[in-house]
Amino acid sequence: MDFILVLAKIQPKEGCQDSIMELADELVYETLQEEGNIDYQLLKSAKDDSLTFVEKWESPEALKKHMASPHFLNFGEESEEFVENSDIQVIGANEIKF
């Protein structure tokens, strides 16, 4: 099965990790309901304060629709003041069965 993998790493401003995680609760919940979403998780680094959204999508179209959704746009606006920087990678992937 082919899919789109997104790794969206966020570096919070000092002391802002919890604020971002609280705002992300609704984003994760709503995104998991979206058509074309396979998986959507927010992972907290064991090494530093960074947070990474790990997303799997059925198609580029499903990802584009997600990026235009109210919950995605609201999260971006509401979390902006808490984010130092971010890095987003979008990868076309194939599932490999072992």
Side-chain angles (χ1 to χ4, degrees), residues 65-83:
K65 189 174 178 183
H66 164 68
M67 293 173 67
S69 69
H71 49 273
F72 178 83
L73 296 173
N74 288 342
F75 174 79
E77 290 174 14
E78 293 175 357
S79 67
E80 184 176 22
E81 67 182 289
F82 304 122
V83 175

Side-chain angles (χ1 to χ4, degrees), residues 17-97:
Q17 185 188 61
D18 289 342
S19 298
I20 294 171
M21 291 179 64
E22 284 179 31
L23 291 172
D25 284 345
E26 181 180 351
L27 173 64
V28 171
Y29 175 80
E30 292 294 332
T31 301
L32 288 169
Q33 313 307 311
E34 289 183 48
E35 184 176 337
N37 178 259
I38 300 168
D39 194 23
Y40 200 87
Q41 300 180 38
L42 177 59
L43 305 179
K44 183 176 170 182
S45 174
K47 184 172 90 172
D48 57 26
D49 284 346
S50 67
L51 302 166
T52 302
F53 285 97
V54 179
E55 313 172 25
K56 285 175 64 176
W57 296 92
E58 291 179 358
S59 66
E61 294 77 25
L63 176 57
K64 287 177 187 176
K65 189 174 178 183
H66 164 68
M67 293 173 67
S69 69
H71 49 273
F72 178 83
L73 296 173
N74 288 342
F75 174 79
E77 290 174 14
E78 293 175 357
S79 67
E80 184 176 22
E81 67 182 289
F82 304 122
V83 175
E84 185 72 35
N85 59 52
S86 62
D87 178 54
I88 300 172
Q89 296 177 303
V90 180
I91 304 159
N94 303 71
E95 185 174 4
I96 300 172
K97 304 245 185 206

